[in-house]
Amino acid sequence: MERGCVNNNIEFEANELIQKIKHFLITNLGKVENVASTEEFYLAFCIALREKIMVNWTTTEHSHNEAGARTLYYLCMEYLPGKFLSNNITNLNSTELVSIVLKKMGRNLKDLLFFDVDPGLGNGGLGRLASCFLDSLATQKYPSWAYGLRYQYGIFEQEIWNGYQIERPECWLLNQFPWEFRKDTHAQNIKFGGNLIPAINRHGDEVFDLEDYEEVRALPYDIPIIGYPDKQKEFTVSTLRLWSTKESPRNFELQRYNAGQMQEAGENTALTDVLYPNDNHELGKKIRLKQEFILVSASLQDILHQHLRIHGEIMNLADKVQIQINDTHPALVVAELIKRLVKNHDVSFKDAFEITKNVCNYTNHTIMREALEEWNEMRVQSLLPRHYKIIQKINNDFCNNIRKQFPNDEEKINRMSIIHNGQIRMAHLAILGSKKVNGVAYLHTEILKKEIFKDFNEMFPEKFIPITNGITQRRWLLESNPLLAEFLTKRITNKWITDFHDIHKIKDFADDKETINEFIRIKNENKKRLFDYIKKENPIRDFKGKIVDHYPIFEDSEDVLVDVQIKRLHEYKRQLMNCLHLLILYDEIKKDPTSRKIKRLVLMAGKAAPGYDLAKKIILLFFLIAIKINNDPEVQKVLKVVLIENYNVSKAQIIIPASDLSEQISTAGYEASGTGNMKLSINGALTIGTEDGANIEMRQAITDEWWPFSFGSTLEEIKKMKNEKSYNALDFYKQHEHIRKAVDRLKDGSLARNDAENQALSEIYNLLVSGDNPDKYFVLKDLFSFYETQKRVEQLYLDKEKWAKFAIHNIGGMSRFSSDEVINNYAKSVWEIEPCPLEPYILDSVKREYEETTTCFVCRKDE
């Protein structure tokens, strides 16, 4: 017998993994395999699989440290990684191995995945994009860390009670989460409030100590992010470090608790309970600001500690560290870094600001001015007095500089000042404190440069660059759609998994009859899976939340167009247009049941922010339309409507592979990029979309010939109507009878079941056609175009083979929209970092030490 023997046979690996599972069942859970429950087996299985990761995780960190590599540190308030078990099996390239192990042990992967949770760390596109980036950073071996917050209850778990969104805690941490590692030795302390004690340092800069401050302890939990193996079957592992205030006793103020001040006593313990607490009240605003600063301060302390441990001095920080400010939430890192350099490391304010500007970079994710984060000046001064002083100084120096360059232009100063009208503009702070500022699509960046941040672009033109978003094909194609992945690999090899440029080769097969038929068969198989999920697992609830039914589906999926709009609820995303189109279809089918030549299932999914009342009313409207259509004996023969409850990554992985039509119908000029459009397109859905966000670049890449369903007003037309105030929603309401009839249903009582619903729908009606500025997102303006384009959708879908040909060309045109390419663009244009593969001698050393200490596992030659 020989310890650590090498055997590449997959049977040997399977037997070794089985040994480990049995070992962990006994040592961790006190169970033998044949009596272990599915949940217990799941935990032991994850721990055993985790061991395959640990050697490479350790080697990755040591290799980066040994090389002294310039490292990216990614700060983001949210991540949406999805289930880790399935993704880790995919990225370990262990699908076959796991299949053999589970078959031998009489277990089923689907049963295990039931216990693997979607971590409640994000809300929508921002979090999912961040998770795609982490996958690509690890796969391409870039030295990187990511930081976020470990939300105990996520944003919320959505239930739809009789049409009304109900928010429940997202209890993803209710049971043991096997993919995280608690790291108490890396905990950090963060200070809030307090009284300033001023002093002057040797550089002549004013610095401040604090007394009588409030201290919060942030405890880190690390999650390994596995890169896909290279040709040598080696992979790097990046770290996602999440901070929690939940597990730190010092955060609970017992004196206040005993004095009856229950809420105040537990405030700091609850800071990481919920993502984006409702800030419609003062306490919510205070907690959100505290959350953002915990992310910034704890992460930066950790970054500086790592830097000094590896590199030994602070003045080379900009040579070795790059920090990405993802949206404005972490923008306080600018003030925090300056504070720490000046106060803790004896750097002059001037040099500290210069270092900061070469370390930090900022990605903007919105062009809606109301969504550009601002904080009340007095709130920042109260909670973060030292940082307020720094922001004041940055702003005073900046405004004086503007005065020198543009004398007698106080309006320009007002537009560019960080502090204005008692508010601190976090985007302005991020721009001034960053080396590069990027938008997430070409159009988005042009709007930033020419409108939103026009003054800044004129002063710092070298800062602003476009980097269009992308998605990881490993999660959203290889894992989510294994049938389509196999279909692609059979024709163009598996190189596309790590080099998505190769996907263009599938276009060469678009005229092949066998390819078209197989594509149609795969799409139908995915529809069957979606329909089965809807029928069995997507509930209809009554007003008490009790499940009373499930949404009806077509029994035969083969001839059904699956039309989806899956994204968070917002007026500019225009779920309302989708609703009105459904009402038009309803009226036409009622009038003439033969008016529709195809069957259509319209599916909507997404959460409304807890404080966004109108978005919740749109969910109610969609639900009421679904009830009306699905219960009409004539209409439901050709049209069915489904509202998916609690949309998340796992549900997206069921919906997206089955989709035929991707609704990307935002008002032109409002969607920064979008990534759902990309996920749907690489899975063979055609896009019905406006000229907005990344839709434009997708159309250009796929070409107009294969992008048949573009519609709606362009950005230039929208701007012209706004500037000239020429748009009158009532004109479109009056001109088009079918539009007028659909809109009138919002107030005529044909949808509402009671007075409360009637009032809610009347508010939506008034939003469209009443008041001083009706229909500000141009829903009625674009509805006729949308309606006519949907007719073309039906006409093309009548020819399934032609539709499939279009779909294959769409997949083949998406080669530039992988997050791998996006990360390469950031690495070259922003961070200036290089890949850092595992050092073979370090890997050998770690493997040897691991094998020498793994005394409980013995490789038998006869196995």
Side-chain angles (χ1 to χ4, degrees):
M1 288 184 291
E2 179 184 359
R3 182 182 301 125
C5 59
V6 177
N7 190 330
N8 291 324
N9 185 286
I10 196 166
E11 285 289 330
F12 174 84
E13 289 185 50
N15 289 334
E16 188 179 45
L17 187 55
I18 289 169
Q19 279 185 307
K20 289 180 180 181
I21 293 167
K22 290 178 177 179
H23 170 75
F24 290 125
L25 277 169
I26 292 171
T27 57
N28 286 33
L29 300 166
K31 291 290 179 72
V32 292
E33 192 273 326
N34 63 346
V35 299
S37 68
T38 305
E39 184 175 7
E40 289 166 337
F41 184 88
Y42 157 77
L43 289 171
F45 179 81
C46 290
I47 294 168
L49 197 64
R50 210 169 65 181
E51 286 211 348
K52 289 175 67 72
I53 301 166
M54 296 306 297
V55 169
N56 286 55
W57 198 5
T58 304
T59 304
T60 300
E61 183 174 356
H62 284 285
S63 295
H64 293 171
N65 293 350
E66 184 71 19
R70 191 181 215 199
T71 301
L72 165 70
Y73 297 92
Y74 194 83
L75 304 188
C76 191
M77 281 291 283
E78 56 174 290
Y79 299 88
L80 267 179
K83 291 179 184 284
F84 274 96
L85 176 56
S86 53
N87 194 64
N88 288 347
I89 291 171
T90 299
N91 275 15
L92 287 169
N93 207 7
S94 295
T95 304
E96 185 182 359
L97 171 66
V98 168
S99 177
I100 292 169
V101 168
L102 296 180
K103 185 176 181 180
K104 284 188 171 190
M105 301 187 81
R107 303 283 180 161
N108 183 287
L109 182 58
K110 185 178 179 181
D111 294 338
L112 302 191
L113 288 172
F114 175 81
F115 292 98
D116 203 52
V117 295
D118 281 61
L121 302 171
N123 176 34
L126 182 70
R128 187 51 239 170
L129 177 73
S131 297
C132 285
F133 281 6
L134 300 193
D135 176 274
S136 290
L137 284 162
T139 296
Q140 298 183 102
K141 306 185 191 310
Y142 285 111
S144 60
W145 284 65
Y147 292 94
L149 298 181
R150 183 179 180 263
Y151 304 105
Q152 191 78 15
Y153 303 116
I155 183 166
F156 61 85
E157 183 174 299
Q158 180 197 55
E159 291 184 357
I160 306 296
W161 290 16
N162 205 28
Y164 292 87
Q165 174 178 287
I166 302 297
E167 297 103 28
R168 290 188 169 280
E170 193 168 5
C171 299
W172 69 284
L173 289 171
L174 187 63
N175 300 311
Q176 181 180 346
F177 182 58
W179 303 109
E180 68 179 4
F181 296 78
R182 177 169 164 161
K183 297 293 184 93
D184 290 66
T185 56
H186 295 282
Q188 304 292 348
N189 297 322
I190 297 101
K191 296 175 181 176
F192 292 101
N195 299 314
L196 295 175
I197 304 173
I200 302 294
N201 68 11
R202 69 184 182 91
H203 304 287
D205 299 317
E206 191 174 34
V207 294
F208 298 93
D209 277 318
L210 274 182
E211 62 179 5
D212 302 327
Y213 53 80
E214 174 187 37
E215 191 169 66
V216 175
R217 182 173 182 260
L219 181 66
Y221 289 78
D222 289 359
I223 298 175
I225 305 297
I226 304 169
Y228 196 83
D230 57 24
K231 291 177 182 178
Q232 288 72 42
K233 298 186 178 180
E234 293 299 349
F235 59 92
T236 61
V237 183
S238 297
T239 301
L240 171 59
R241 177 161 285 179
L242 303 173
W243 303 101
S244 173
T245 62
K246 198 70 180 173
E247 304 293 332
S248 297
R250 75 163 62 178
N251 294 342
F252 184 74
E253 299 185 57
L254 190 58
Q255 289 293 103
R256 285 190 168 187
Y257 182 85
N258 288 334
Q261 299 173 356
M262 311 298 188
Q263 181 173 305
E264 295 88 344
E267 180 182 305
N268 289 335
T269 309
L271 287 176
T272 54
D273 274 5
V274 177
L275 167 64
Y276 302 144
N278 192 340
D279 60 356
N280 289 345
H281 47 75
E282 183 58 34
L283 181 60
K285 291 182 173 69
K286 179 182 176 184
I287 290 176
R288 282 185 74 156
L289 180 56
K290 278 187 164 185
Q291 282 185 341
E292 292 181 6
F293 187 66
I294 286 168
L295 169 63
V296 160
S297 182
S299 303
L300 190 57
Q301 289 180 66
D302 197 53
I303 292 165
L304 293 176
H305 173 77
Q306 285 189 47
H307 174 78
L308 291 171
R309 177 175 56 82
I310 298 165
H311 303 290
E313 61 168 307
I314 202 68
M315 294 309 291
N316 65 351
L317 187 71
D319 297 328
K320 297 297 181 181
V321 168
Q322 289 290 285
I323 294 174
Q324 191 65 32
I325 301 170
N326 200 30
D327 218 347
T328 51
H329 310 122
L332 281 166
V333 75
V334 172
E336 172 74 349
L337 180 52
I338 292 171
K339 190 216 81 174
R340 291 198 169 272
L341 291 173
V342 172
K343 180 72 175 62
N344 299 4
H345 298 285
D346 194 28
V347 179
S348 70
F349 187 94
K350 180 181 177 183
D351 288 345
F353 192 26
E354 198 61 33
I355 290 170
T356 299
K357 287 189 288 185
N358 284 290
V359 165
C360 295
N361 303 283
Y362 163 51
T363 300
N364 173 278
H365 286 273
T366 183
I367 47 188
M368 299 181 68
R369 291 188 185 275
E370 61 267 31
L372 291 171
E373 196 170 43
E374 296 183 358
W375 284 112
N376 179 272
E377 193 176 353
M378 300 308 294
R379 187 177 297 109
V380 175
Q381 185 177 18
S382 171
L383 281 176
L384 304 168
R386 291 187 291 185
H387 300 79
Y388 176 68
K389 289 286 187 182
I390 290 168
I391 293 169
Q392 270 192 321
K393 179 169 174 53
I394 294 171
N395 192 53
N396 289 338
D397 293 347
F398 178 57
C399 290
N400 288 335
N401 188 34
I402 299 172
R403 287 188 180 96
K404 288 179 184 177
Q405 291 190 50
F406 304 95
N408 305 318
D409 195 348
E410 287 300 310
E411 272 303 306
K412 193 177 192 73
I413 293 170
N414 289 337
R415 292 194 303 269
M416 298 183 74
S417 176
I418 299 172
I419 304 172
H420 182 65
N421 287 340
Q423 295 290 108
I424 298 177
R425 297 156 162 169
M426 302 311 291
H428 291 198
L429 177 64
I431 292 169
L432 286 177
S434 293
K435 176 180 63 176
K436 292 291 183 183
V437 177
N438 74 280
V440 291
Y442 178 79
L443 177 64
H444 172 221
T445 308
E446 288 300 295
I447 294 171
L448 295 181
K449 289 163 64 175
K450 295 176 181 178
E451 296 178 31
I452 309 298
F453 302 131
K454 182 174 183 287
D455 294 302
F456 287 94
N457 182 55
E458 289 172 354
M459 186 174 279
F460 310 110
E462 73 288 349
K463 282 196 181 194
F464 290 84
I465 60 171
I467 302 182
T468 300
N469 283 343
I471 56 171
T472 169
Q473 65 272 22
R474 289 168 290 279
R475 164 73 78 167
W476 292 108
L477 185 46
L478 180 62
E479 179 190 333
S480 301
N481 200 341
L483 294 175
L484 186 59
E486 183 183 355
F487 164 92
L488 294 167
T489 297
K490 188 163 64 176
R491 288 164 174 82
I492 63 173
T493 80
N494 66 356
K495 189 181 175 186
W496 62 270
I497 297 171
T498 52
D499 183 0
F500 206 56
H501 289 107
D502 252 36
I503 202 72
H504 80 275
K505 294 177 181 177
I506 196 61
K507 291 189 287 187
D508 295 339
F509 296 84
D511 291 312
D512 177 59
K513 186 81 169 176
E514 183 182 339
T515 295
I516 287 172
N517 288 337
E518 187 177 347
F519 177 84
I520 293 170
R521 181 185 61 77
I522 289 169
K523 184 64 75 172
N524 287 336
E525 286 298 316
N526 288 325
K527 286 179 188 178
K528 287 176 185 175
R529 185 168 73 119
L530 171 62
F531 286 16
D532 189 60
Y533 169 80
I534 292 169
K535 186 166 60 175
K536 296 176 181 176
E537 300 183 53
N538 189 61
I540 296 175
R541 302 177 188 270
D542 66 13
F543 69 97
K544 292 183 178 180
K546 181 183 176 183
I547 297 175
V548 293
D549 204 350
H550 290 81
Y551 286 86
I553 47 91
F554 294 100
E555 291 304 318
D556 183 3
S557 62
E558 287 191 12
D559 294 324
V560 180
L561 175 79
V562 177
D563 173 351
V564 306
Q565 189 177 22
I566 43 177
K567 50 189 77 241
R568 66 184 173 88
L569 268 289
H570 199 288
E571 290 164 84
Y572 83 81
K573 294 180 184 289
R574 300 202 291 193
Q575 284 92 349
L576 183 53
M577 181 185 289
N578 195 355
C579 292
L580 293 174
H581 179 249
L582 281 170
L583 291 173
I584 292 173
L585 291 182
Y586 173 83
D587 285 330
E588 288 188 347
I589 297 167
K590 286 294 286 183
K591 185 177 180 180
D592 178 8
T594 66
S595 63
R596 285 292 159 300
K597 301 295 187 290
I598 67 167
K599 295 176 182 177
R600 183 192 295 250
L601 184 140
V602 178
L603 182 151
M604 190 172 85
K607 296 179 180 180
Y612 196 170
D613 187 57
L614 181 59
K616 291 181 175 182
K617 289 184 171 76
I618 293 172
I619 290 175
L620 172 64
L621 171 61
F622 191 87
F623 176 83
L624 294 174
I625 293 170
I627 295 299
K628 189 170 191 66
I629 288 173
N630 294 339
N631 286 289
D632 188 290
E634 283 297 323
V635 177
Q636 59 91 27
K637 289 178 183 177
V638 292
L639 179 64
K640 295 187 191 297
V641 181
V642 174
L643 178 60
I644 297 290
E645 183 179 85
N646 198 44
Y647 181 60
N648 58 19
V649 172
S650 292
K651 291 175 184 177
Q653 288 182 245
I654 298 171
I655 297 166
I656 288 172
S659 301
D660 294 305
L661 188 66
S662 163
E663 297 214 13
Q664 310 298 328
I665 59 177
S666 55
T667 311
Y670 282 87
E671 187 72 80
S673 171
T675 53
N677 45 6
M678 301 172 190
K679 294 162 198 164
L680 285 153
S681 191
I682 69 168
N683 278 276
L686 302 188
T687 302
I688 181 167
T690 51
E691 288 287 283
D692 196 24
N695 289 356
I696 298 170
E697 290 160 79
M698 287 170 60
R699 175 182 58 77
Q700 291 167 347
I702 292 167
T703 74
D704 289 333
E705 181 181 3
W706 305 110
W707 186 270
F709 306 133
S710 189
F711 80 97
S713 305
T714 64
L715 173 63
E716 290 71 25
E717 290 167 341
I718 296 282
K719 284 166 66 175
K720 184 180 180 186
M721 286 185 284
K722 283 182 175 180
N723 293 336
E724 296 176 356
K725 297 181 179 178
S726 58
Y727 174 56
N728 186 345
L730 276 172
D731 290 343
F732 289 86
Y733 169 78
K734 292 173 181 176
Q735 286 170 13
H736 303 287
E737 182 185 357
H738 52 303
I739 291 178
R740 182 171 69 253
K741 193 171 181 181
V743 173
D744 284 349
R745 283 195 177 276
L746 301 177
K747 65 167 187 175
D748 67 7
S750 61
L751 293 171
R753 299 166 297 182
N754 52 52
D755 289 343
E757 290 177 359
N758 190 57
Q759 183 177 346
L761 300 193
S762 294
E763 287 181 31
I764 298 174
Y765 173 89
N766 292 333
L767 191 81
L768 288 171
V769 295
S770 300
D772 296 330
N773 184 29
D775 194 18
K776 64 178 181 178
Y777 292 103
F778 301 88
V779 173
L780 300 187
K781 169 68 174 67
D782 286 348
L783 180 55
F784 182 75
S785 174
F786 183 61
Y787 166 75
E788 291 295 323
T789 307
Q790 284 281 16
K791 285 183 181 178
R792 299 207 306 272
V793 168
E794 295 183 6
Q795 192 61 40
L796 182 59
Y797 195 73
L798 285 170
D799 187 339
K800 299 291 191 307
E801 292 186 3
K802 189 175 181 182
W803 183 282
K805 182 177 178 178
F806 271 77
I808 291 167
H809 274 282
N810 272 249
I811 295 170
M814 289 296 291
S815 60
R816 56 168 286 210
F817 296 98
S818 167
S819 51
D820 294 347
E821 175 156 328
V822 180
I823 288 302
N824 283 329
N825 290 338
Y826 275 101
K828 291 181 178 70
S829 305
V830 180
W831 307 321
E832 298 175 75
I833 59 175
E834 297 291 336
C836 186
L838 303 183
E839 279 287 355
Y841 79 91
I842 296 177
L843 180 59
D844 290 343
S845 173
V846 174
K847 279 182 176 178
R848 186 167 55 252
E849 189 167 330
Y850 167 72
E851 289 166 359
E852 287 171 353
T853 56
T854 312
T855 57
C856 55
F857 302 122
V858 177
C859 301
R860 295 182 177 87
K861 290 181 180 178
D862 61 347
E863 289 186 326

